[in-house]
Amino acid sequence: MNELNESAVKNSLRTRWVGRSYRYIQSVGSTNDFLKHEMAAANPPAGTVVLTDFQSKGRGRLDRRWEAPPGTSLLFSVLFRPTWPAERLPWLTMIAGTAVAESIEAETGLTISLKWPNDVIIKYQGKWHKFCGILLEGQITSNSQLAYAIIGTGINVNIPQQQLSEASFPATSLTTVLNHSVSRLKLLTTLLQRLEVLYDLADQGTSPRKTWEKRLTTIGQKVEIFTSNNEKVVSGLAEGIGQWGELLVRDDSGKQHKILAGDVTLRQSPI
Ligand code: BTN
């Protein structure tokens, strides 16, 4: 029996609504796609979680792949139905990154940081490494409201270092850093609880921006911003964050650029 199956999660969950509708699938294409396409007809409630042990078509940002060996990771998607103006969509990125960081710190004692816009990173052997990615997908209605939003999270929990795929940014897993394995069930239930607390606060109108911003390693760094075709858009100094989570970059001519997360990625130098 899998440690993340329906009854195991139900018995450990301490939330009111996040994860109360929970679906475990041993293997699936992508949990984001499953929630969006396969479950849509059933009109699942807010807080629905779809979790799998293996994805054959796991997706990352900018059409990249997200790969993880079976049974080693947390791979799941959470459905939200925010009645917020569409411009608040980035709040969900902030809530998700913060919830991941806070729950891992609580469960492991590690110090977790964020790389703009939504990579979760850790210093390991003196160098920043990515061990978790977040894929936020949403639909906006014709009157600029959010119809729904899906937060897809992939955390390298117990992947041995030699099984991690090569990436442009160094990758690692929690087990590598800690030198012992981590309970995926405990981490998941703590994470879903943090997600609920942070979402409820945002729903009452409290911006998650300040809490999120404190964890960003990006501010004060020299950065290069690339589109998905690997075209450089701008390079300069990351000075700060705008109201909606945009990265504010000052180029060498002194001009400030507001970078939106949607279609760009970032390289920090030095990493
Ligand atoms: C990134 O860093 O580019 C984002 C990675 C997001 C991966 C997760 S795993 C669960 C969910 N389902 C997917 O297909 N992707 C997200």
Side-chain angles (χ1 to χ4, degrees), residues 132-158:
C132 165
I134 294 162
L135 180 65
L136 172 66
E137 296 183 297
Q139 199 179 49
I140 294 167
T141 62
S142 50
N143 56 348
S144 296
Q145 293 283 313
L146 288 172
Y148 71 82
I150 293 172
I151 295 178
T153 307
I155 309 178
N156 301 342
V157 182
N158 294 322

Side-chain angles (χ1 to χ4, degrees), residues 60-265:
R61 290 180 61 242
L62 310 171
D63 288 329
R64 297 192 186 118
R65 290 181 61 82
W66 185 265
E67 285 170 344
T72 60
S73 301
L74 279 175
L75 306 166
F76 65 99
S77 301
V78 188
L79 174 73
F80 291 94
R81 297 189 181 280
T83 49
W84 306 347
E87 63 203 12
R88 286 194 188 173
L89 187 64
W91 280 18
L92 290 169
T93 299
M94 300 176 191
I95 290 167
T98 306
V100 170
E102 289 183 353
S103 55
I104 292 173
E105 287 184 347
E107 287 301 322
T108 66
L110 294 169
T111 301
I112 307 300
S113 298
L114 301 172
K115 173 171 161 280
W116 185 91
N118 49 9
D119 289 344
V120 188
I121 59 173
I122 188 164
K123 209 165 229 176
Y124 171 58
Q125 296 185 331
K127 217 172 163 188
W128 289 112
H129 286 69
K130 173 171 170 175
F131 68 94
C132 165
I134 294 162
L135 180 65
L136 172 66
E137 296 183 297
Q139 199 179 49
I140 294 167
T141 62
S142 50
N143 56 348
S144 296
Q145 293 283 313
L146 288 172
Y148 71 82
I150 293 172
I151 295 178
T153 307
I155 309 178
N156 301 342
V157 182
N158 294 322
I159 309 185
Q161 189 65 27
Q162 65 275 16
Q163 285 184 35
L164 286 158
S165 6
E166 286 294 311
S168 53
F169 196 86
T172 193
S173 63
L174 292 175
T175 191
T176 301
V177 178
L178 287 164
N179 217 9
H180 62 75
S181 62
V182 173
S183 160
R184 292 185 297 160
L185 179 62
K186 278 191 81 185
L187 185 53
L188 175 73
T189 51
T190 305
L191 202 166
L192 294 181
Q193 196 182 22
R194 271 327 284 162
L195 208 49
E196 180 174 287
V197 169
L198 295 171
Y199 183 92
D200 282 345
L201 275 173
D203 208 31
Q204 289 151 23
T206 310
S207 167
R209 201 189 97 193
K210 285 270 175 275
T211 316
W212 174 71
E213 211 176 313
K214 281 191 210 134
R215 286 188 191 271
L216 286 180
T217 58
T218 318
I219 314 303
Q221 298 268 335
K222 283 271 192 195
V223 295
E224 293 181 316
I225 311 284
F226 290 83
T227 65
S228 46
N229 310 327
N230 238 2
E231 280 165 38
K232 186 144 83 168
V233 185
V234 61
S235 61
L237 182 71
E239 287 188 327
I241 294 292
Q243 192 193 359
W244 301 112
E246 321 89 293
L247 190 64
L248 307 177
V249 180
R250 179 88 52 193
D251 71 18
D252 293 342
S253 74
K255 187 172 171 222
Q256 195 188 64
H257 302 256
K258 263 191 187 181
I259 314 291
L260 296 168
D263 48 1
V264 294
T265 188

